[in-house]
Amino acid sequence: MHAAGSGTSSFSALVSPTVALLIALILAWAGVLAPLDQALQEMRFEASDRPASGETLFVEIDSKSLQDVGVWPWPRQVHANVLDRLMQLGVAEVVLDIDFSTASTPEGDLALEQALERAGGYVFLAAFQQSMADGTVVLNVPLERFATHSEPVLVNVDGDGTGLLRSVPAGLPAAGIRSVAAALVPQSPISRAAIAIDYGIDLRSIQRVSVSDLLYGDFNHTLFANKQVIVGASAIELRDFFRVPRFGVIPGPLVQLAATETLKAGRPISDLGLAPALAIALVAIALFASRKGRMSTAPLAWVVLGSMLLMEVAAWLVLRERHLTLDTAAFHVFAVLLVLISLLHERAMHWRQIFRQQARLAYLASHDAVTGAHSRQALLDELEGYLSSGGASVFLVQLGRLDSTIAALGHEVGDCVAVEVAQRLEKRLGSKPARIANDVFAWSLPKELRAEHQIALRRSVSACLDEPYAVNGHSVVLDTRFASSTMDAAGVGSELLRQAEVALSEARRENLKVVAYTSEQSDRINDRRMRDIALREALGREEFFLLYQPQIDLRSGDLMGVEALVRWQSGSLGLVSPADFIPLAEETGLIVNLGKWILVEACTRAARWNWDGRLSVNVSSIQFRRSDMVTTVRQALEQSGLPANRLDLELTESLLVDDDPAILSTLEELRQMGVSLALDDFGTGYSSLSYLSRLPIDKIKIDQSFVRPLPEPNNEAIVETIVLMARRLSMSIVAEGIETAEQRDYLAALGCQVGQGYLFGRPSTPKSLGLEAAETAAA
């Protein structure tokens, strides 16, 4: 018996760590652990830092170079001048990471051909493979006239499916083309199809010189002697960028230099993957199974922590000494899970007891402890569910003489009677009733019953409950009275139950058998009805007016635009918040006429001002979908005389997420008119880069929920990301909710052009903004 128990214990001890390992492996194979492995490898590369060889140089086509030349692609005379200049400076070899696969002007091609001939065969020109729309792969090589005096080299790069660039192809053997690195370091043996890059080499130590400085500026001529030079793009505008470990986003030519430096150092990386971590984990499983029961969770946690640190030290050493990489995240996850499983095992009994107590408390929260009927809260929850999908009815029955029975015969008899009442009700209704007081039961139905059905139901229940109850030799007869209330989907469960209780009180007070609640509608419903009526008449009564919030140039502080905001001064309700009437207008469809009025009024007023700033007008998604926005905008501009290029229409993200072709077509027509389109409250809805890059949007408004908490770090990260994204997409940026000078200065430094918020002014009249005077002068 002892031997059998020992075997069972050993098997049990193996199950938990095996499950932990399987979970870690599944996470690894699913790619979930890839970011952690990337971060750990970047730390190892950083810890293995070493400078570049100093034998290579990056001559970069940066933004300044593009501006100085003035056009792109450059005339090939410029490339010829660059090549001649490099040869004059005594460089060893030159790689032109530029596409020369198609002809240019005869003069330009001749100039480059002659420069290549003067270079004497020490020039390499870019070749690259390109996938076409039909799936075919095309190899682009330099023109034959250029290849006579140069060698093509492959400039393609590899991806690993995670967005990180870890290697470059070693070449195209079938085409006889070497990679840049293989051409520049021909003495290095290459045994694989790809050159895995060692990012322990500090790419920041590679010298960089602008083409503009090379041709027109002042630079250290000694930098070039006997250097291998790669000429290529680093300007943001040319979009030749890749994300790599440790160094983030770098230009493509620098990737080729990284591969070249890797070969020069004799350190092409080999990836061992998960195999070492898996082997160590299997050893750990065996040790865990043998020691289970002799080690508590705390010591195990220290052992696990030590093993994780040793794993990382070992991974760093093999990278530094043997230029091997391995994935360790799966081992770390396995180790952590191992500790968690041990902790869960120790706490299992305690948790089981807590769960039992919680289950009991949960039962008592939704059930009556004596009868098993639903509790008052369970009834309210049921009513809320019915009211959310339609109308609901609630019925109450009071058990007359139950209290006197308890007083005369005791609680035990009273409880037995209550139990049987609950059972009779459940059998009759087909569902469990609720006990909301000692002598009151209730039930609900998901829809309102007609009066005749209520009468039939009440009589049937009354006949059922009025039958005598035989308990412990006693015969108990009850006297029942009923109350009911109904409510539609606009109601609240607690209010519906309160109404029924009021009706039951009325039945007791008037000694009636049945009372149905018949009070007037609730204040909330009545208030909404009054607002609906007032809103429908508000446009005709000219109760709406506009205020304007300034939009400020963050660098100059000048007023460059205003946003028109609608307000409602009701004759019967007073000043109504837009948060109250805008949703109501959208729900009733009145937003179409209201939105048209806002657009016409705002354009008319802005056209009268002696001021050429921009006017922003919000457009509801409901208004956009239910009206002809192109016609509405065109009529507003023609009627007011406001130039289209001064109007910004602010759209919400909810309008755009469906990628509706009709909406996209309307947006394009508006842009063709000259109107600018802004995406309002960016970041709070369904923003997706996949559709944002395709939309005809000119401006992004950063939502105030991200701006107001600044300089909180998390919000800084979000704002910086939005600004960078907008700039890369050539979109203007407006920051809403600026309340402090610190926020203004931070956003201006970040590159945000326009600010809006209480720091510059609340929504105001044109007079307060100094625009009404300009309007009067213009008139």
PDB file of all heavy atoms in Angstrom, residues 60-72 74 208 210-213 232-239 241 727:
ATOM      1  N   GLU A  60      24.830  59.560 -45.880  1.00  0.00           N
ATOM      2  CA  GLU A  60      23.378  59.466 -45.838  1.00  0.00           C
ATOM      3  C   GLU A  60      22.688  60.561 -46.640  1.00  0.00           C
ATOM      4  O   GLU A  60      23.080  61.732 -46.609  1.00  0.00           O
ATOM      5  CB  GLU A  60      22.894  59.490 -44.381  1.00  0.00           C
ATOM      6  CG  GLU A  60      23.421  60.621 -43.558  1.00  0.00           C
ATOM      7  CD  GLU A  60      22.981  60.494 -42.101  1.00  0.00           C
ATOM      8  OE1 GLU A  60      21.880  59.969 -41.882  1.00  0.00           O
ATOM      9  OE2 GLU A  60      23.737  60.915 -41.214  1.00  0.00           O
ATOM     10  N   ILE A  61      21.672  60.130 -47.361  1.00  0.00           N
ATOM     11  CA  ILE A  61      20.788  61.065 -48.063  1.00  0.00           C
ATOM     12  C   ILE A  61      19.717  61.469 -47.053  1.00  0.00           C
ATOM     13  O   ILE A  61      18.677  60.828 -46.915  1.00  0.00           O
ATOM     14  CB  ILE A  61      20.168  60.410 -49.314  1.00  0.00           C
ATOM     15  CG1 ILE A  61      21.271  59.905 -50.247  1.00  0.00           C
ATOM     16  CG2 ILE A  61      19.262  61.392 -50.043  1.00  0.00           C
ATOM     17  CD1 ILE A  61      20.761  59.092 -51.430  1.00  0.00           C
ATOM     18  N   ASP A  62      20.012  62.543 -46.306  1.00  0.00           N
ATOM     19  CA  ASP A  62      19.111  62.971 -45.247  1.00  0.00           C
ATOM     20  C   ASP A  62      18.199  64.083 -45.741  1.00  0.00           C
ATOM     21  O   ASP A  62      18.235  64.469 -46.924  1.00  0.00           O
ATOM     22  CB  ASP A  62      19.919  63.418 -44.023  1.00  0.00           C
ATOM     23  CG  ASP A  62      20.938  64.495 -44.363  1.00  0.00           C
ATOM     24  OD1 ASP A  62      20.909  65.004 -45.506  1.00  0.00           O
ATOM     25  OD2 ASP A  62      21.769  64.828 -43.488  1.00  0.00           O
ATOM     26  N   SER A  63      17.372  64.590 -44.830  1.00  0.00           N
ATOM     27  CA  SER A  63      16.402  65.624 -45.223  1.00  0.00           C
ATOM     28  C   SER A  63      17.095  66.872 -45.743  1.00  0.00           C
ATOM     29  O   SER A  63      16.637  67.509 -46.698  1.00  0.00           O
ATOM     30  CB  SER A  63      15.509  65.968 -44.025  1.00  0.00           C
ATOM     31  OG  SER A  63      14.757  64.858 -43.639  1.00  0.00           O
ATOM     32  N   LYS A  64      18.226  67.236 -45.141  1.00  0.00           N
ATOM     33  CA  LYS A  64      18.964  68.420 -45.590  1.00  0.00           C
ATOM     34  C   LYS A  64      19.469  68.224 -47.010  1.00  0.00           C
ATOM     35  O   LYS A  64      19.428  69.151 -47.843  1.00  0.00           O
ATOM     36  CB  LYS A  64      20.127  68.697 -44.639  1.00  0.00           C
ATOM     37  CG  LYS A  64      20.922  69.964 -44.937  1.00  0.00           C
ATOM     38  CD  LYS A  64      21.958  70.218 -43.864  1.00  0.00           C
ATOM     39  CE  LYS A  64      22.700  71.522 -44.106  1.00  0.00           C
ATOM     40  NZ  LYS A  64      23.453  71.514 -45.379  1.00  0.00           N
ATOM     41  N   SER A  65      19.931  67.016 -47.321  1.00  0.00           N
ATOM     42  CA  SER A  65      20.402  66.736 -48.671  1.00  0.00           C
ATOM     43  C   SER A  65      19.268  66.856 -49.680  1.00  0.00           C
ATOM     44  O   SER A  65      19.450  67.408 -50.779  1.00  0.00           O
ATOM     45  CB  SER A  65      21.018  65.335 -48.726  1.00  0.00           C
ATOM     46  OG  SER A  65      22.068  65.197 -47.786  1.00  0.00           O
ATOM     47  N   LEU A  66      18.101  66.335 -49.320  1.00  0.00           N
ATOM     48  CA  LEU A  66      16.948  66.451 -50.216  1.00  0.00           C
ATOM     49  C   LEU A  66      16.585  67.905 -50.465  1.00  0.00           C
ATOM     50  O   LEU A  66      16.277  68.315 -51.591  1.00  0.00           O
ATOM     51  CB  LEU A  66      15.757  65.701 -49.626  1.00  0.00           C
ATOM     52  CG  LEU A  66      15.888  64.176 -49.512  1.00  0.00           C
ATOM     53  CD1 LEU A  66      14.627  63.589 -48.897  1.00  0.00           C
ATOM     54  CD2 LEU A  66      16.140  63.535 -50.865  1.00  0.00           C
ATOM     55  N   GLN A  67      16.616  68.725 -49.400  1.00  0.00           N
ATOM     56  CA  GLN A  67      16.281  70.135 -49.538  1.00  0.00           C
ATOM     57  C   GLN A  67      17.302  70.868 -50.401  1.00  0.00           C
ATOM     58  O   GLN A  67      16.955  71.713 -51.238  1.00  0.00           O
ATOM     59  CB  GLN A  67      16.196  70.779 -48.165  1.00  0.00           C
ATOM     60  CG  GLN A  67      15.020  70.281 -47.326  1.00  0.00           C
ATOM     61  CD  GLN A  67      15.048  70.829 -45.913  1.00  0.00           C
ATOM     62  OE1 GLN A  67      15.925  71.604 -45.554  1.00  0.00           O
ATOM     63  NE2 GLN A  67      14.073  70.430 -45.120  1.00  0.00           N
ATOM     64  N   ASP A  68      18.589  70.539 -50.210  1.00  0.00           N
ATOM     65  CA  ASP A  68      19.632  71.245 -50.967  1.00  0.00           C
ATOM     66  C   ASP A  68      19.549  70.935 -52.456  1.00  0.00           C
ATOM     67  O   ASP A  68      19.755  71.820 -53.288  1.00  0.00           O
ATOM     68  CB  ASP A  68      21.013  70.855 -50.428  1.00  0.00           C
ATOM     69  CG  ASP A  68      21.286  71.479 -49.062  1.00  0.00           C
ATOM     70  OD1 ASP A  68      20.533  72.407 -48.690  1.00  0.00           O
ATOM     71  OD2 ASP A  68      22.221  71.037 -48.379  1.00  0.00           O
ATOM     72  N   VAL A  69      19.263  69.680 -52.811  1.00  0.00           N
ATOM     73  CA  VAL A  69      19.143  69.334 -54.227  1.00  0.00           C
ATOM     74  C   VAL A  69      17.803  69.807 -54.781  1.00  0.00           C
ATOM     75  O   VAL A  69      17.712  70.316 -55.890  1.00  0.00           O
ATOM     76  CB  VAL A  69      19.310  67.812 -54.428  1.00  0.00           C
ATOM     77  CG1 VAL A  69      19.068  67.429 -55.883  1.00  0.00           C
ATOM     78  CG2 VAL A  69      20.702  67.382 -54.001  1.00  0.00           C
ATOM     79  N   GLY A  70      16.723  69.649 -53.961  1.00  0.00           N
ATOM     80  CA  GLY A  70      15.431  70.220 -54.325  1.00  0.00           C
ATOM     81  C   GLY A  70      14.478  69.297 -55.029  1.00  0.00           C
ATOM     82  O   GLY A  70      13.294  69.602 -55.126  1.00  0.00           O
ATOM     83  N   VAL A  71      14.931  68.178 -55.556  1.00  0.00           N
ATOM     84  CA  VAL A  71      14.034  67.231 -56.224  1.00  0.00           C
ATOM     85  C   VAL A  71      14.412  65.819 -55.808  1.00  0.00           C
ATOM     86  O   VAL A  71      15.534  65.571 -55.353  1.00  0.00           O
ATOM     87  CB  VAL A  71      14.122  67.351 -57.771  1.00  0.00           C
ATOM     88  CG1 VAL A  71      13.630  68.697 -58.242  1.00  0.00           C
ATOM     89  CG2 VAL A  71      15.548  67.089 -58.251  1.00  0.00           C
ATOM     90  N   TRP A  72      13.477  64.907 -55.957  1.00  0.00           N
ATOM     91  CA  TRP A  72      13.744  63.478 -55.771  1.00  0.00           C
ATOM     92  C   TRP A  72      12.852  62.700 -56.722  1.00  0.00           C
ATOM     93  O   TRP A  72      11.665  63.027 -56.843  1.00  0.00           O
ATOM     94  CB  TRP A  72      13.479  63.049 -54.335  1.00  0.00           C
ATOM     95  CG  TRP A  72      13.830  61.592 -54.134  1.00  0.00           C
ATOM     96  CD1 TRP A  72      12.963  60.545 -54.164  1.00  0.00           C
ATOM     97  CD2 TRP A  72      15.138  61.054 -53.915  1.00  0.00           C
ATOM     98  NE1 TRP A  72      13.635  59.377 -53.973  1.00  0.00           N
ATOM     99  CE2 TRP A  72      14.982  59.647 -53.821  1.00  0.00           C
ATOM    100  CE3 TRP A  72      16.416  61.588 -53.808  1.00  0.00           C
ATOM    101  CZ2 TRP A  72      16.057  58.799 -53.610  1.00  0.00           C
ATOM    102  CZ3 TRP A  72      17.490  60.746 -53.596  1.00  0.00           C
ATOM    103  CH2 TRP A  72      17.301  59.367 -53.504  1.00  0.00           C
ATOM    104  N   TRP A  74      16.912  62.158 -57.497  1.00  0.00           N
ATOM    105  CA  TRP A  74      17.942  63.086 -57.929  1.00  0.00           C
ATOM    106  C   TRP A  74      18.319  62.841 -59.397  1.00  0.00           C
ATOM    107  O   TRP A  74      18.327  61.681 -59.863  1.00  0.00           O
ATOM    108  CB  TRP A  74      19.194  62.918 -57.077  1.00  0.00           C
ATOM    109  CG  TRP A  74      19.072  63.529 -55.715  1.00  0.00           C
ATOM    110  CD1 TRP A  74      18.109  64.354 -55.268  1.00  0.00           C
ATOM    111  CD2 TRP A  74      19.968  63.326 -54.613  1.00  0.00           C
ATOM    112  NE1 TRP A  74      18.328  64.712 -53.964  1.00  0.00           N
ATOM    113  CE2 TRP A  74      19.466  64.095 -53.538  1.00  0.00           C
ATOM    114  CE3 TRP A  74      21.129  62.606 -54.433  1.00  0.00           C
ATOM    115  CZ2 TRP A  74      20.095  64.136 -52.298  1.00  0.00           C
ATOM    116  CZ3 TRP A  74      21.767  62.645 -53.209  1.00  0.00           C
ATOM    117  CH2 TRP A  74      21.255  63.403 -52.148  1.00  0.00           C
ATOM    118  N   ARG A 208      28.899  58.867 -39.713  1.00  0.00           N
ATOM    119  CA  ARG A 208      27.853  59.228 -40.675  1.00  0.00           C
ATOM    120  C   ARG A 208      28.130  60.631 -41.213  1.00  0.00           C
ATOM    121  O   ARG A 208      28.450  61.542 -40.443  1.00  0.00           O
ATOM    122  CB  ARG A 208      26.470  59.175 -40.039  1.00  0.00           C
ATOM    123  CG  ARG A 208      26.123  57.804 -39.502  1.00  0.00           C
ATOM    124  CD  ARG A 208      24.865  57.787 -38.688  1.00  0.00           C
ATOM    125  NE  ARG A 208      23.664  58.092 -39.443  1.00  0.00           N
ATOM    126  CZ  ARG A 208      22.435  57.725 -39.067  1.00  0.00           C
ATOM    127  NH1 ARG A 208      22.270  57.037 -37.954  1.00  0.00           N
ATOM    128  NH2 ARG A 208      21.389  58.054 -39.796  1.00  0.00           N
ATOM    129  N   SER A 210      26.574  63.541 -44.075  1.00  0.00           N
ATOM    130  CA  SER A 210      25.479  63.909 -44.968  1.00  0.00           C
ATOM    131  C   SER A 210      25.999  64.123 -46.383  1.00  0.00           C
ATOM    132  O   SER A 210      27.100  64.662 -46.582  1.00  0.00           O
ATOM    133  CB  SER A 210      24.808  65.186 -44.464  1.00  0.00           C
ATOM    134  OG  SER A 210      23.932  65.722 -45.431  1.00  0.00           O
ATOM    135  N   VAL A 211      25.223  63.700 -47.378  1.00  0.00           N
ATOM    136  CA  VAL A 211      25.582  63.969 -48.774  1.00  0.00           C
ATOM    137  C   VAL A 211      25.706  65.467 -49.011  1.00  0.00           C
ATOM    138  O   VAL A 211      26.588  65.926 -49.741  1.00  0.00           O
ATOM    139  CB  VAL A 211      24.533  63.346 -49.726  1.00  0.00           C
ATOM    140  CG1 VAL A 211      24.743  63.842 -51.152  1.00  0.00           C
ATOM    141  CG2 VAL A 211      24.607  61.835 -49.686  1.00  0.00           C
ATOM    142  N   SER A 212      24.836  66.228 -48.347  1.00  0.00           N
ATOM    143  CA  SER A 212      24.885  67.682 -48.496  1.00  0.00           C
ATOM    144  C   SER A 212      26.228  68.227 -48.038  1.00  0.00           C
ATOM    145  O   SER A 212      26.836  69.073 -48.700  1.00  0.00           O
ATOM    146  CB  SER A 212      23.744  68.311 -47.694  1.00  0.00           C
ATOM    147  OG  SER A 212      23.781  69.714 -47.799  1.00  0.00           O
ATOM    148  N   ASP A 213      26.713  67.739 -46.884  1.00  0.00           N
ATOM    149  CA  ASP A 213      28.023  68.180 -46.403  1.00  0.00           C
ATOM    150  C   ASP A 213      29.136  67.692 -47.329  1.00  0.00           C
ATOM    151  O   ASP A 213      30.121  68.404 -47.556  1.00  0.00           O
ATOM    152  CB  ASP A 213      28.268  67.657 -44.989  1.00  0.00           C
ATOM    153  CG  ASP A 213      27.356  68.317 -43.978  1.00  0.00           C
ATOM    154  OD1 ASP A 213      26.858  69.421 -44.262  1.00  0.00           O
ATOM    155  OD2 ASP A 213      27.137  67.719 -42.908  1.00  0.00           O
ATOM    156  N   GLY A 232      23.213  55.883 -48.998  1.00  0.00           N
ATOM    157  CA  GLY A 232      21.801  55.503 -49.020  1.00  0.00           C
ATOM    158  C   GLY A 232      20.944  56.467 -48.244  1.00  0.00           C
ATOM    159  O   GLY A 232      21.431  57.453 -47.664  1.00  0.00           O
ATOM    160  N   ALA A 233      19.639  56.167 -48.203  1.00  0.00           N
ATOM    161  CA  ALA A 233      18.654  57.097 -47.655  1.00  0.00           C
ATOM    162  C   ALA A 233      18.540  56.960 -46.143  1.00  0.00           C
ATOM    163  O   ALA A 233      18.491  55.852 -45.607  1.00  0.00           O
ATOM    164  CB  ALA A 233      17.286  56.854 -48.293  1.00  0.00           C
ATOM    165  N   SER A 234      18.490  58.124 -45.470  1.00  0.00           N
ATOM    166  CA  SER A 234      18.136  58.162 -44.046  1.00  0.00           C
ATOM    167  C   SER A 234      17.037  59.166 -43.783  1.00  0.00           C
ATOM    168  O   SER A 234      16.611  59.327 -42.649  1.00  0.00           O
ATOM    169  CB  SER A 234      19.367  58.518 -43.203  1.00  0.00           C
ATOM    170  OG  SER A 234      19.763  59.865 -43.421  1.00  0.00           O
ATOM    171  N   ALA A 235      16.607  59.884 -44.851  1.00  0.00           N
ATOM    172  CA  ALA A 235      15.551  60.887 -44.683  1.00  0.00           C
ATOM    173  C   ALA A 235      14.225  60.200 -44.396  1.00  0.00           C
ATOM    174  O   ALA A 235      13.891  59.176 -45.001  1.00  0.00           O
ATOM    175  CB  ALA A 235      15.432  61.748 -45.939  1.00  0.00           C
ATOM    176  N   ILE A 236      13.471  60.768 -43.482  1.00  0.00           N
ATOM    177  CA  ILE A 236      12.160  60.213 -43.135  1.00  0.00           C
ATOM    178  C   ILE A 236      11.272  60.161 -44.371  1.00  0.00           C
ATOM    179  O   ILE A 236      10.492  59.217 -44.565  1.00  0.00           O
ATOM    180  CB  ILE A 236      11.509  61.049 -42.027  1.00  0.00           C
ATOM    181  CG1 ILE A 236      12.321  60.921 -40.734  1.00  0.00           C
ATOM    182  CG2 ILE A 236      10.066  60.638 -41.798  1.00  0.00           C
ATOM    183  CD1 ILE A 236      11.798  61.761 -39.599  1.00  0.00           C
ATOM    184  N   GLU A 237      11.423  61.148 -45.243  1.00  0.00           N
ATOM    185  CA  GLU A 237      10.539  61.231 -46.404  1.00  0.00           C
ATOM    186  C   GLU A 237      10.680  60.025 -47.330  1.00  0.00           C
ATOM    187  O   GLU A 237       9.734  59.664 -48.039  1.00  0.00           O
ATOM    188  CB  GLU A 237      10.840  62.510 -47.200  1.00  0.00           C
ATOM    189  CG  GLU A 237      10.588  63.801 -46.428  1.00  0.00           C
ATOM    190  CD  GLU A 237      11.816  64.280 -45.661  1.00  0.00           C
ATOM    191  OE1 GLU A 237      12.646  63.423 -45.273  1.00  0.00           O
ATOM    192  OE2 GLU A 237      11.933  65.479 -45.446  1.00  0.00           O
ATOM    193  N   LEU A 238      11.863  59.395 -47.350  1.00  0.00           N
ATOM    194  CA  LEU A 238      12.102  58.283 -48.273  1.00  0.00           C
ATOM    195  C   LEU A 238      11.666  56.938 -47.705  1.00  0.00           C
ATOM    196  O   LEU A 238      11.680  55.929 -48.393  1.00  0.00           O
ATOM    197  CB  LEU A 238      13.591  58.246 -48.651  1.00  0.00           C
ATOM    198  CG  LEU A 238      14.098  59.534 -49.329  1.00  0.00           C
ATOM    199  CD1 LEU A 238      15.539  59.381 -49.749  1.00  0.00           C
ATOM    200  CD2 LEU A 238      13.228  59.899 -50.533  1.00  0.00           C
ATOM    201  N   ARG A 239      11.345  56.875 -46.445  1.00  0.00           N
ATOM    202  CA  ARG A 239      10.682  55.718 -45.817  1.00  0.00           C
ATOM    203  C   ARG A 239      11.468  54.405 -45.950  1.00  0.00           C
ATOM    204  O   ARG A 239      10.872  53.334 -46.037  1.00  0.00           O
ATOM    205  CB  ARG A 239       9.277  55.539 -46.394  1.00  0.00           C
ATOM    206  CG  ARG A 239       8.387  56.743 -46.162  1.00  0.00           C
ATOM    207  CD  ARG A 239       6.987  56.514 -46.690  1.00  0.00           C
ATOM    208  NE  ARG A 239       6.146  57.681 -46.461  1.00  0.00           N
ATOM    209  CZ  ARG A 239       4.881  57.782 -46.819  1.00  0.00           C
ATOM    210  NH1 ARG A 239       4.287  56.754 -47.414  1.00  0.00           N
ATOM    211  NH2 ARG A 239       4.176  58.876 -46.576  1.00  0.00           N
ATOM    212  N   PHE A 241      13.098  52.485 -43.710  1.00  0.00           N
ATOM    213  CA  PHE A 241      13.390  52.285 -42.295  1.00  0.00           C
ATOM    214  C   PHE A 241      12.934  50.895 -41.858  1.00  0.00           C
ATOM    215  O   PHE A 241      11.952  50.350 -42.373  1.00  0.00           O
ATOM    216  CB  PHE A 241      12.701  53.353 -41.436  1.00  0.00           C
ATOM    217  CG  PHE A 241      13.348  54.704 -41.537  1.00  0.00           C
ATOM    218  CD1 PHE A 241      12.948  55.609 -42.502  1.00  0.00           C
ATOM    219  CD2 PHE A 241      14.358  55.066 -40.663  1.00  0.00           C
ATOM    220  CE1 PHE A 241      13.548  56.845 -42.597  1.00  0.00           C
ATOM    221  CE2 PHE A 241      14.958  56.305 -40.753  1.00  0.00           C
ATOM    222  CZ  PHE A 241      14.561  57.199 -41.711  1.00  0.00           C
ATOM    223  N   ARG A 727       2.188  63.079 -37.820  1.00  0.00           N
ATOM    224  CA  ARG A 727       3.219  63.710 -38.644  1.00  0.00           C
ATOM    225  C   ARG A 727       3.649  62.794 -39.772  1.00  0.00           C
ATOM    226  O   ARG A 727       3.858  63.236 -40.913  1.00  0.00           O
ATOM    227  CB  ARG A 727       4.404  64.099 -37.768  1.00  0.00           C
ATOM    228  CG  ARG A 727       4.080  65.218 -36.777  1.00  0.00           C
ATOM    229  CD  ARG A 727       5.234  65.507 -35.839  1.00  0.00           C
ATOM    230  NE  ARG A 727       6.408  65.973 -36.561  1.00  0.00           N
ATOM    231  CZ  ARG A 727       7.578  66.223 -35.983  1.00  0.00           C
ATOM    232  NH1 ARG A 727       7.718  66.043 -34.670  1.00  0.00           N
ATOM    233  NH2 ARG A 727       8.603  66.651 -36.685  1.00  0.00           N
TER     234      ARG A 727
END
